[in-house]
Structure formats: structure tokens, C-alpha cells
Amino acid sequence: FNGPSMSIPWMPKEVSHRLFERPHETINVKTTYLLSTAAVAGFLAREDGKRPAWFNRARLMPVSALTPDLQEHLANCCHVICMKVRQEVTNEHGLRGPLNGRPSTQWQAGLLCARVIWRALFSAAAAKAPASKRAVPGVFMAACEGLKQASQKLLTKVWREVQVQFTSKENKYRNMKSRPAWSVLEAHQFEVFGKDRGFGICDPAVVAPSSAAASSVLWRNRIAGTKPASNLQDYLEEVLALRFAVDWMAMSMEDAQEFLDQATKRAYKRPVLKPKAAPDPVSQTLAALKEKTVDSFSLMWTDDAELRGVASLAIRLMDGLEGPSALPFAATFVGQMLLAMWKGVAPLLAHHAATGIARIAESHAAMGRLPAPQLPEPDASTSRTAVFDRVAASYDRPSKDCEELVNALPRGVLGSIIKAQATFRGYVFRARYFTKARAVAAYCKAVAWPELHPQLEGETVELASEKDKKKKSKSKMDKSGMASSKADATNLNQTISDFQPRVSKYLGGEGNTAKPSVSSPTNSPMHKMGSTMGSTKGSQMAGADVRNRAWPLPTADHRACADLFALYMFNLYRRKELTNMWSTLCKSYERGMDSYAELLHRNPALKPMLESIAAQLKRGSVVGYDKAFIAKHKKEPTEQQGRVKPVDADIFKSKTGKQVGTMGSTGQATELPKDKAAAASPGATATMAMSMKSMNLTVGEKPEDSEVQVTGEYLTNYLKEMDGDDSQFKDINAAVVPLSTGSSPPRLQPAESILKTEELNDKTEEARPGSTSTPAKSRPKLDTTFCLTRCKPIWLPIKAHRFAAYRAKVLQLLPQRVLQQYIDFEKQGQYSACIKLLESATPGSLNVLSPASMVSGKPLLVETVLQLIVGYSGLCLKNQQGAIAVKLITQVLDNMSLSLRDLHPGHRTVLEAYLFDTALSVCYYMPNDVTLADRSQSFFQQASERYLRLGHINRYCKCCLRAAAVLHLQGSKSEAEYYTQQALNKLSDAPVSSLLAICYHNLAVHTVVQ
């Protein structure tokens, strides 16, 4: 218990020394070892139905060695335990009303069942060994501590293995769907439980699961397992099971510690605090039953009568084992019943594991960091493994900043830091384990266990409480047997002169080693000789006494040194922080200057504004910045009311909240004449309102979802690459149909328009090669059929964004030998081959249709290729090559999740919405493609959800109109009407625009056709 492989921090050294060194205490250690191994076997064999069997690889008595009737009784008891635990972990305990001490969650209910069953099984099995009854609580706590430490270590190893097996941290081909072999998990389990902690299990690499020995009464015919390999669900269930085991063992030790405190108080006849009397008779009856079982360690009290009955059933089954082999068979019984308990907890672990997988995205696997599975809030706050993922991450290589700071420390400082950490760890150690150590020490003293020498036959043990009573009674009696409380006045002076003070060795004295001298006259020769010999002896033994003395108490000099050291460490920290601030400011200034230089190079129109800023700065340096930049409250001349002030006229003028929120003052200064105001078109008004709204959003308001907002260095690089065009991150204008201009065709009357359309149709029919008959020119019959054939919704096409610029950029990235081949494929319409050639691009592979080999860290180039593919799809549809367009857009959507992994979340959301919207447009032009038509509704849902997240209302409305047009072609008229109505609801508060007009038109078409 005090060795390097399994140290129990709260056990007193004398207790652990006697347990290991004294032969008569070996049976207690053996019992603890067997029952701990049985608990480990039950934990490892909980999934023997679907993974390689573990129970037959534990060094326990096999189940097949039991008699048939014992096997049947054991199977029935295991079934009862499994059903009881499963009932507790699947019920909703919060719906039962007031708790009154009952568990409030499923996790707590499962822990309560495990604590009661484990304590009952351990006590009943320990009774089969020739061990002392007094030793059971102590060795029970020792077994729980060993199992808890092993579970904590295995939890760290398994979680680190999860980050390796199911992410691309070490292997780029690994992801959430990886299927590692069971041997990977078994190797960690054997390393912790077998090698490190020394439990009795065999090496799974040497001893394979065999059908010769039945591994479990629950899984007799399924030894090899039904699953050939593990998955993420299995690993997360293993993590949650280990968290459950840690909480289980920690709470079991707390229960045992409470029993030790009560037993110690009863041994010393101290008053035990009794709970207040319950008002209702049911609670009073339960309290009376609890008082009767307070002396029994085997039966832990619980208000659940069913659970008490299950524990009693297990104890009665164990009582039936007799003979010299009772302890090995009892260990097998313990392992099988704990296996049944784990079978009952399995639904709870599977549910939490599935919930944890639902929180994991593919981006986590790509970054190499999966989030830990979380427990519900009441359980997470009380769990002993709340930050186990951080503990596992602490075993990774330290960060670069940490290594640099350690290397930069002066000589001798690192040793001082280690000493300070050791002191703090000692404080934490004391705060965490002192109460357990005190409880165990007091209990061992009260019950006189473990004994220094074996107890002889017929000898009775004298308890510590009886010794204390004898000492107290003896101190109160004098030689004559009468109580004495007064000092003897005859020899009082002699007693005072011969008194030898005893100073504790912790305060610098010699402790109890210095014996008081014999009372004799101080002036006798013998006294002088004795004192001389004592001084000589003291000088000879000075070295030994110094070694035994404690360190002196801290003085003012020690405190001053400690303050100086703390000040030195704080100054080191401040220097590091100031260096980081200075470095950040320098980089920010340099980046800002580079950005301004690039903007001035690309847009020469900014130079006048820069000159105006320079002039104001120069003026401020001469007359003072307060006079140059603070607004002057004076009225402008009346003759300048018609002029519009330039943007940079008052660039340093402070704005109040009212001026930022509204445009009232600007509107007064820029009021136009009535004739000019009347000439403004509604579309221009709507455009101006939208521009002002977006301006107010950037100044004062915050968007609804900050995760999709592209800011910082990423946005700067994007604007540099796109020549300042950020229209993709903003909503479109509601004027989706351009207004009529002087070059627009004249508007016709409805009757003339119908006749002209019919004439065009007749000419088209005559121009066909197979047409020989000349149709007679006649007016069409305006009936219902004629009208319904021409009732079609207006289609709003989606345009390729900067197709020419993106194509030119891609051509510049190709080598000269590939460029001509690319152009030839483009002329032939083989666009898939063109994308294939992008694997030879200068920065690296840009083939988004094969993202596994694509270059990383180039998000803007990935967007370029995707926009190029959208343009190629439009060309295919224009050239009657719909099958090629369908193939291109389908491949892009199937590989989109991996090809967009390097993009900013906001940029990625924009592109995903754009690609799904493009796929919806392809569905409109290819109505005969059954596969694409079945996915059209999914395309709309994906695109519309992203548009709403981005806050692009007009794009969402256009997407709704496109989806309605596609459903109209497919015959789903009612769904088309519903989607159009959704777009109309979004535009209920919007100003009049062509988008609103098209919504009403298409809604009328859908309703008329129905």
C-alpha cells in the first residue's frame, strides 16, 4: 500500500508498514488483491458480448468450476442486479416529487446502486477469509483507492488515444469514422491494470479469449465478440465508464470514512449527532431501521427498499459458500455480480456517448482536438473528473512560450520555482487527504488494528479506549488511593529547583530524549561531576542532535527574502507581458501601413483624403490638437445649405449617439429641390435605404450571429485578393429586376404581346427541319387551357460571381505546359478534365473534387476554383450540356465539407449557401434528372438555413422563389405556394421593390394554377 506502484496517500505509514511486513496481516492484503482483481475483471468484461472476452483472462476461479446449482443461482442474482440498476439509470427521477435524500439524476442513481452493491459484496466476500472483522473498512478503502487511481490513469490514456485514432493529428487519413482494432484499447487496459497497478489479469497479446473456459454466466456462447473492430462510440463509452468508476470509488471511500468516524465515536463513547426527528411516520420508521443497521459495514443504508433487498440477496448468496476455497469462489461471484451491475449501467453510458458524438463536427477531427463528452449540469458540477480532458492535455509537449520562458530564467530561479510548486502541492495534498488520514488513524487506534504481534490463543485485545480510561483514573489517584489535587508544601522549593523543562523537538528542543536528573543538592560533588559528564556527552552527541532537530521557524529575514523572490518573479512576468504588447503593437502598425499602402496603390482616389488628414494633423501640431479637432459650435452660413459636405471635411469631429443612429442633420444639409426629389425612383430610394441601414449596422449595431462575421486579418487578405469587393458577405439589393431605360424595348398591350408570342412560336415551328406543312394564321382561342399553359412563375437566375476575373487568376496559376491543354479541354467542354489539371497548379493541388490531396492553408484559392466551377455549370446549361453541369455540381457538393476545411466559418457559410443555391438552379434547368430532383428540397433547406444565419433576407427570399419555381415544374403546386408565402412574410416590412412585386406575381401564378 505504500510502494511506488500503488501508493495510498491517506494511509498512515505505520498502518501500511504493519500490513506488508507482518505475516499475520498477509491474509488482509490477499483478500484486497483478490477482490480488487474481481472488480477489474467485472469492469473489463462488461462488453464481452461484442468485443473479445476479458473475464477468462483474469486470474480468478473460472465460472465453469462452480456446481450447476450455484451457476443457476448466480445467474438469477446477476439478472436481478442488472434489471435493478437498469431501472434506476433509465427512470426520470426528477418526476417523482420531493427528493428527501433520493438521487435526483440517473447518473447519481446509478452511483448509489453501485456503492451499495460493491460494499455489500466486498464485506460478504471478505468474511470468507480468516481475516479480522475490524480490518474490513480499512482494506475496503484501500481497494477503492487503488481502483480509483487505476481508473484515473486509464482515463487519461484512453482520452489521448481518442485524439490520435479519430482525428488527423498524426495521420491525415483518420477521422471520426475510423475503426481501430480492439487490441489498441486492450493494450492500454493491460498496461494500466496489469503492469502498472499489478492486478491479476493476463496479457491479451499472449492469452487470447478461449471458448474452453466460460467467461460469464451472461455470455456463455459469445467469446470472440460480434464486432470485429471498435469505433468512436465504443471509445466514448469507455471514457464515460471510467468517469463513472472514478466517481463510484471516490463516493465509496467517503461512505467508508463516514462509517469510520461513527465507529470511532462509538468506541470512545462519544455522543453521535442524531438527525432531527422526521414529522411523518414513514420517515420515522426509516430512521429507526437505519439506527439498527448503523453497526453493520456490509449493509449500507439507503431509503430504497428494493436496493436494500438486492444487496441482502447478494449477501445471502455469498453466505452459501463454505470450505477452504470459499474466498476464491467468492471473488468470482464478486466479479460476475459487478459485471451484471455494469450491464445495467450500459444504457446510460451509450446515451451520453451518443450525445457526445452529436456535438462533434468534422472540423474538430480536422483540427486534431475532439471535445470531451459532457454530463448533465447537476452531475458535471459534482463529478471528480470534470476536467479530465485538460489533465490529459497536460501530458503533451509544453508550448513554445513555456520552453522559452524556462530557458530564459536566471540560474537558481528554476529550483526556487520547483520548491514553491512542491510547497503548494503539499498544501493541496494535506487539504485533500488529511481528513481521511485522521479518520483512518483514529479508527485503527480505537480498534487496535493492525496488530504489531499476532494474537495468541485465548488472548483478548485491550482497546485504546480502555487504556485511556485507566490512565485518567490513575492520574486522579495518589499513593494512598485518595484523589489528590494539591501540591506538597514540604518539598515544593526542592521540586522547583530540580525541575527540567522539556521542549518539543519541533520547537528546537531535544524532546523526550533528555531525562530529568535525580533530585540531589545542587552543591554536591556528585552533582558537579554528573553535570560535567553530561556536558561532555552532550558535546560528543551534538551532531546527532542537530540532525534530529526541526528547522527553525521563519523569521523576518526569511519573509523579506520570500517577498523579494515574489517581486522578482512578478517583474519577470511583467517584462514578458510588456514585450508581447510591444511586439503586437509593432506588428499591428506594420500591417496597417502595408494595408494602407496597398489600398493607395489600388485606389488612387484615396490620395485626396489622405492629404486632407495630413493637413489637419499638421494644423493640429501648430495650433494645438484641441483647437484643430474639437467641433466648433457655430452656425454655418446660409449660402452653403445647398452644398453637400465632403466625407473627409470633419473626419476627426466627435459624433454624438443621435448623429450616429440617425441621419437627420445630414438630411437637412442635403435637402434637394422638389423637382429633383420627384425624379428619384422607388428603386433608388430602396437602394439608398439599404445602404444607410448597412452603414448603421457597421457603426453602432452588432449582427445576430457573431460566429459568421468575417473580420480581422482574414477579411483584410480577402479584400486585397478581391480588389476591395466584399459583396458576397453582404445582402443583395431588393431591386432584382432593372428598371426601364431609354434603350429598353417598348411595353406592349396584353393582346399585342400574346399575338406576337404566337407569331414567334409559328416561325419557330416552320423553321424546324422536319416541318413541311404551313399552319394557317389564326387568332388563338383564349380559353382556360390557353391561359394555364402560360401561367408560369418568374425565374430569378443566379449569376456567377466575378467569373472572368477568377478564370484569369486560375490560368495564371498553371504552368506553361499545362495551360494549353487546359484551354483545349475548355473549348471542348470537358470541364471535369480542366478541374483535374488543377492538381498541377503552382501553389499545389487545387482540385476541389479530390480534397484529400488538396493543398492546405489556401482558402482564397479554394473559393476561386469553386466560383470557376459555378461559372462552368452555367456555361454547360447555356450550351445544352445539362448532364455535365449536374455531374460538376454534384461532385462539388459531395466533397464540399473537406474542401472548405481551411476557410473562415463565416466565409464557409457564405460559399455553402451559394453552392446549394446553384444546385437548386441546376434542378430548375434539368427537371428530367430524377436523382437531382429528389435532392432539390434538401438543397433549398441547406441554402435557406445559411442565408438566415447570415442575415441575408433578400438572398433568402430569392432562394424561396427559386425553390417554388422548381416545385412548380415538379407538380407540387401547394408546396410552391407555401415557399412563396414564406418569402412574402419576410418582406412584409420591407419597402416597395421589384423583389416584392415578383413575390406577389409568383404567388398569384401558384394559386391560379391550383
Side-chain angles (χ1 to χ4, degrees), residues 219-341:
W219 304 99
R220 290 174 180 166
N221 299 322
R222 298 170 66 180
I223 304 301
T226 58
K227 292 181 66 176
S230 60
N231 55 15
L232 182 57
Q233 174 79 13
D234 297 322
Y235 271 80
L236 291 188
E237 287 184 14
E238 186 78 14
V239 169
L240 290 165
L242 290 169
R243 295 188 66 181
F244 187 90
V246 172
D247 291 350
W248 169 24
M249 292 302 160
M251 298 180 75
S252 297
M253 284 192 290
E254 292 176 1
D255 298 335
Q257 181 184 348
E258 182 180 358
F259 176 84
L260 293 183
D261 292 335
Q262 299 292 336
T264 304
K265 291 179 180 179
R266 287 193 301 272
Y268 287 105
K269 303 299 182 182
R270 296 173 184 169
V272 180
L273 293 178
K274 295 183 179 180
K276 295 181 179 179
D280 55 316
V282 177
S283 300
Q284 292 177 0
T285 305
L286 291 176
L289 291 174
K290 186 175 181 180
E291 284 293 330
K292 294 180 181 179
T293 60
V294 72
D295 292 329
S296 174
F297 181 76
S298 60
L299 190 58
M300 176 181 168
W301 174 256
T302 173
D303 294 341
D304 190 350
E306 289 184 0
L307 186 55
R308 295 199 305 270
V310 171
S312 302
L313 175 64
I315 293 174
R316 289 200 302 270
L317 181 61
M318 302 279 282
D319 290 341
L321 298 176
E322 296 178 354
S325 300
L327 180 59
F329 280 120
T332 303
F333 273 48
V334 170
Q336 289 293 318
M337 293 183 191
L338 291 181
L339 169 60
M341 186 275 300

Side-chain angles (χ1 to χ4, degrees), residues 599-634:
L599 287 174
L600 288 175
H601 177 70
R602 296 191 177 187
N603 191 358
L606 295 176
K607 289 184 178 180
M609 183 182 69
L610 184 63
E611 293 175 357
S612 175
I613 295 174
Q616 289 198 21
L617 290 175
K618 186 176 180 181
R619 179 170 174 265
S621 63
V622 176
V623 301
Y625 291 97
D626 53 346
K627 297 180 180 179
F629 303 136
I630 295 178
K632 299 177 178 59
H633 302 283
K634 62 179 182 179

Side-chain angles (χ1 to χ4, degrees), residues 95-166:
L95 303 178
R96 295 184 179 180
L99 299 179
N100 294 331
R102 294 197 300 260
S104 58
T105 62
Q106 299 170 347
W107 186 270
Q108 296 296 332
L111 287 174
L112 177 61
C113 294
R115 288 153 50 198
V116 173
I117 294 172
W118 166 236
R119 182 163 158 179
L121 293 177
F122 189 96
S123 303
K128 300 302 174 184
S132 174
K133 184 180 178 181
R134 299 167 294 164
V136 175
V139 296
F140 174 78
M141 290 184 66
C144 292
E145 181 65 32
L147 292 172
K148 188 190 81 167
Q149 291 183 10
S151 301
Q152 287 175 335
K153 186 167 185 178
L154 183 58
L155 176 61
T156 299
K157 286 183 173 292
V158 171
W159 183 246
R160 296 190 68 196
E161 190 65 31
V162 168
Q163 305 295 334
V164 172
Q165 294 292 338
F166 299 99

Side-chain angles (χ1 to χ4, degrees), residues 880-954:
Q880 305 299 324
Q881 297 176 342
I884 299 177
V886 171
K887 182 179 179 181
L888 278 176
I889 199 65
T890 304
Q891 289 180 343
V892 168
L893 293 180
D894 293 340
N895 298 285
M896 181 173 60
S897 59
L898 288 178
S899 58
L900 298 178
R901 59 180 179 268
D902 292 333
L903 271 69
H904 185 279
H907 194 187
R908 177 174 182 166
T909 305
V910 169
L911 276 182
E912 286 175 351
Y914 182 69
L915 293 174
F916 282 121
D917 209 350
T918 304
L920 191 63
S921 300
V922 176
C923 293
Y924 177 82
Y925 290 105
M926 297 295 295
N928 297 327
D929 195 319
V930 180
T931 305
L932 204 63
D934 293 338
R935 299 177 62 183
S936 60
Q937 205 158 5
S938 173
F939 295 156
F940 164 71
Q941 291 175 356
Q942 297 287 347
S944 61
E945 185 266 334
R946 285 163 174 80
Y947 282 145
L948 290 177
R949 198 193 314 167
L950 292 167
H952 295 175
I953 302 302
N954 293 336

